[in-house]
Amino acid sequence: MALAGKIAAITASTKGIGLACVERFLNEGAVVYLSSRKQMAVNKEVDRLHEKFGPDKVFGTACHVGDEKQRKNLYDMIDNNHGKLDILVSNAANNNHFGSIFTCNKNQWSKIFDVNVTSTACLINEFLPLLEQSKLQGGNPNIICTSSITAVVKTEFIGPYAVSKAALTAMVRQMSPELAQKGIRINSVEPGVIKTDFAEVLHNPESPYNKILQQFDQKRAGESEEVANLVKFLASDEASFITGEAHRICGGSPGW
């Protein structure tokens, strides 16, 4: 098992790509801390996963990444239980605007950037002591951020989200040299259209916007599990010489 004995934390992980990563990591032997904005959703998934993997393998708490107190609650839970963190997956995202980039107001821009960029930066910075503790104990700590294929291609409907993901990808690249000095790797993944609630308007067969899928080489939406496979690889020691990179997983880059 590629992640045996690893301690991992995954944000926004009670559904979609995040939950697929949780289950993939557990199947690879990791101990996983899951989180999302709602404690009820966290409790539901923790209880379900306890039945399959046991209570010593899965932990969770509510953590809105934009809330400093909730980020600290997650940090303290990990610190008190295991005292270190080997893998941090920053998966939370916000998109509150769909349509022309010129109709996105200031408050919408601010919220998109707060969750997708600023709060991710704060999360990484605040969790560094746990990652550094992993390194001190002989581990190979690393961080994976969920970006988007829209970071590098044009999009007709979600321009502000795309701009924020371009900033996130750039942030990962800029963090890489300093983190490397601490023995910590960082990478991003750039999914295309994935079959999640978040992207339903782009993959639902009844949606007028699903024509976007025809722009990809495979002409289909991806599965959350397919993204989780890539995240698992990047989180493992198999990816020990990969850092500061953006990894597309989109079924063939589109031409939008």
Side-chain angles (χ1 to χ4, degrees):
M1 294 189 288
L3 304 180
K6 304 284 189 180
I7 311 300
I10 305 172
T11 62
S13 52
T14 57
K15 60 182 180 179
I17 291 172
L19 182 57
C21 288
V22 169
E23 299 202 52
R24 188 73 173 92
F25 281 27
L26 287 168
N27 282 319
E28 290 292 338
V31 172
V32 181
Y33 288 81
L34 62 85
S35 65
S36 75
R37 291 179 300 165
K38 298 180 179 179
Q39 187 66 51
M40 185 178 297
V42 172
N43 293 344
K44 177 182 176 181
E45 291 306 320
V46 168
D47 290 344
R48 180 180 69 85
L49 292 168
H50 275 175
E51 293 183 6
K52 183 176 181 180
F53 296 99
D56 60 337
K57 288 290 187 179
V58 189
F59 302 83
T61 186
C63 181
H64 188 309
V65 295
D67 187 320
E68 183 178 357
K69 290 183 179 179
Q70 290 194 7
R71 293 196 304 267
K72 188 175 188 306
N73 288 341
L74 177 59
Y75 180 101
D76 288 343
M77 176 180 280
I78 299 168
D79 192 27
N80 291 335
N81 287 335
H82 290 97
K84 68 168 186 173
L85 184 64
D86 300 299
I87 305 160
L88 175 62
V89 180
S90 179
N91 179 62
N94 174 270
N95 182 42
N96 56 32
H97 178 78
F98 191 87
S100 168
I101 193 170
F102 296 106
T103 61
C104 187
N105 63 45
K106 182 179 179 181
N107 288 337
Q108 289 172 312
W109 275 104
S110 295
K111 186 169 184 179
I112 290 169
F113 264 79
D114 179 58
V115 173
N116 298 356
V117 184
T118 306
S119 295
T120 301
C122 292
L123 178 76
I124 292 170
N125 189 44
E126 291 161 5
F127 278 56
L128 274 181
L130 289 174
L131 293 160
E132 291 173 326
Q133 189 59 39
S134 167
K135 187 63 181 177
L136 288 172
Q137 295 181 27
N140 296 302
N142 66 90
I143 303 162
I144 301 107
C145 296
T146 305
S147 183
S148 167
I149 189 62
T150 62
V152 291
V153 299
K154 297 173 185 176
T155 173
E156 185 177 352
F157 313 111
I158 50 176
Y161 172 82
V163 174
S164 74
K165 290 300 188 177
L168 176 62
T169 294
M171 185 181 77
V172 167
R173 188 164 56 245
Q174 295 300 322
M175 285 183 169
S176 178
E178 289 190 55
L179 288 172
Q181 297 303 310
K182 300 176 182 291
I184 301 170
R185 295 186 296 109
I186 184 169
N187 289 283
S188 65
V189 294
E190 296 179 338
V193 179
I194 307 299
K195 291 180 185 176
T196 63
D197 293 345
F198 189 81
E200 184 175 7
V201 71
L202 299 179
H203 66 74
N204 189 319
E206 304 300 321
S207 172
Y209 302 105
N210 69 8
K211 62 183 180 180
I212 284 174
L213 296 177
Q214 299 306 308
Q215 301 296 322
F216 293 89
D217 294 349
Q218 293 188 355
K219 302 186 186 307
R220 69 174 177 92
E223 302 289 344
S224 294
E225 291 75 15
E226 292 175 304
V227 181
N229 289 337
L230 174 58
V231 175
K232 185 277 299 182
F233 166 71
L234 292 172
S236 75
D237 292 345
E238 296 169 351
S240 58
F241 198 50
I242 303 174
T243 193
E245 303 287 354
H247 304 266
R248 297 182 191 178
I249 178 165
C250 59
S253 297
W256 340 319

